[in-house]
Amino acid sequence: MPPLQHPFISDDSIDVTTDSKFFGLTTYAHLPYVNCLKPDETGPGKYDIAILGAPFDTSVTGRPGARFGPAGIRRGSQRIEPRDAWNIYTGKNTFKSWAKIVDCGDVRMTFLDNTIALKQLEKAHQIISGQPSSTPEKGHIPRIVVLGGDHTTTLAALRSTYDRFGAVSVIHFDSHLDTWDPKVLGGDLSSYAGVNHGTFLHIAHEEGLILNSSIHAAVRAPMMREKDDLTNDRRCGFSIITARDIDLIGAQGVIDALKERVGNNKVYISLDIDSLDPAFAPATGTSEPGGWSTREMLTILDGLTGLQVVGADVVEVAPIYDNPGETTVLAAAEIVQSLLTLMVHTPIDL
């Protein structure tokens, strides 16, 4: 018996290459994949902004699983289609702007040696940011948005950022300070253990990578010491917006405080997904109740338009702890889009 034929559609008109969000390689928001770590194969001028995965979680002090964060965030971004991503609030489409945005895939990071893994990530940053940009009149150094991965990966990013842009102000969205002295967290075991997701900002300060105009936002976790943690945090160049401050000053007050703190400096934005309340983002290693909602976070990020954002990351996404609705990876993917929008809005002058 011959196969049934649709009365109105011929076989020649069937398209198997377009119009589906669920086919092909899973890149962030269906962006083109470029093997950015082999520039001799890809050639120069292939991108202005690169998405880069950092599958690493062996420096955590809580639940592991963030090595699967990059894949989870990409999965959460499948609802984002570049040609259909016109923002209801601004009327603009980040993916239809001047910037060529690509997904570079994940860095191969060993899970057997944290020191080597961070060096691998730093080298990947150097290779990607060392290529000529696609649109040099908007900035000749490509910028990178990292999908994490535990928060220690930000240390490698800051080291590379320093080499390209100099010291930066850090806007650090997190429920924790992450400026603990290694002597207090891990360093009593060994210097190796002292490099972890709770000490990386202290180390970044000691290495001169960040300016004394940095700021935390959404902090609410308990401290390890009565006074010394806050004293050390100030010494590392940070001021603090607590999670509950938003109840007093509102989202606009948070935006104003962040902008005033960093001024006209070049800025690195690092966002730990645990800055959101566990009701919105349960899939992380060290959840803390009392955080911000996804909407509040997106409003604050979008309000930072005009800052010179030279790099960014979304970290500590551990998809295994997500709920069936995958609210964590959906939120993380949308946050990445907001970070890309900030970069597109403001080119970087050296």
Side-chain angles (χ1 to χ4, degrees), residues 179-334:
T179 53
W180 278 285
D181 190 322
K183 296 176 182 178
V184 176
L185 185 61
D188 56 329
L189 296 174
S190 68
S191 57
Y192 179 88
V195 181
N196 58 65
H197 73 162
T199 62
F200 72 94
L201 286 176
H202 175 101
I203 296 168
H205 171 266
E206 296 299 292
E207 293 182 3
L209 309 179
I210 60 179
L211 298 171
N212 289 331
S213 52
S214 297
I215 185 168
H216 307 291
V219 169
R220 59 193 183 277
M223 297 176 294
M224 298 176 67
R225 298 176 294 176
E226 181 180 4
K227 296 180 180 179
D228 291 349
D229 289 347
L230 289 176
T231 300
N232 186 64
D233 189 66
R234 288 190 293 270
R235 189 186 66 82
C236 290
F238 282 86
S239 62
I240 298 174
I241 298 173
T242 68
R244 294 186 186 183
D245 283 339
I246 199 170
D247 300 325
L248 303 176
I249 63 177
Q252 189 60 52
V254 173
I255 293 166
D256 293 342
L258 293 172
K259 284 187 167 182
E260 181 180 0
R261 177 65 175 175
V262 301
N264 295 321
N265 297 324
K266 291 179 173 59
V267 174
Y268 188 97
I269 298 178
S270 183
L271 191 145
D272 188 326
I273 203 67
D274 75 15
S275 53
L276 299 183
D277 190 87
F280 302 93
T284 190
T286 48
S287 295
E288 300 287 350
W292 291 346
S293 71
T294 305
R295 186 189 69 253
E296 289 168 337
M297 181 63 75
L298 293 172
T299 296
I300 291 166
L301 286 173
D302 293 349
L304 299 180
T305 299
L307 295 183
Q308 295 189 76
V309 180
V310 297
D313 59 52
V314 178
V315 298
E316 298 285 355
V317 175
I320 190 63
Y321 310 115
D322 219 347
N323 54 42
E326 297 188 308
T327 55
T328 309
V329 296
L330 287 170
E334 194 69 17

Side-chain angles (χ1 to χ4, degrees), residues 126-183:
Q126 292 284 4
I127 293 172
I128 293 170
S129 63
Q131 299 306 302
S133 67
S134 180
T135 316
E137 64 271 20
K138 296 288 189 177
H140 67 272
I141 300 176
R143 289 177 277 178
I144 301 171
V145 177
V146 176
L147 313 180
D150 84 48
H151 220 151
T152 318
T153 58
T154 302
L155 180 58
L158 289 172
R159 286 169 173 166
S160 176
T161 299
Y162 178 84
D163 290 339
R164 301 295 181 200
F165 298 100
V168 294
S169 296
V170 174
I171 296 179
H172 176 231
F173 292 96
D174 203 311
S175 63
H176 309 89
L177 295 176
D178 291 352
T179 53
W180 278 285
D181 190 322
K183 296 176 182 178

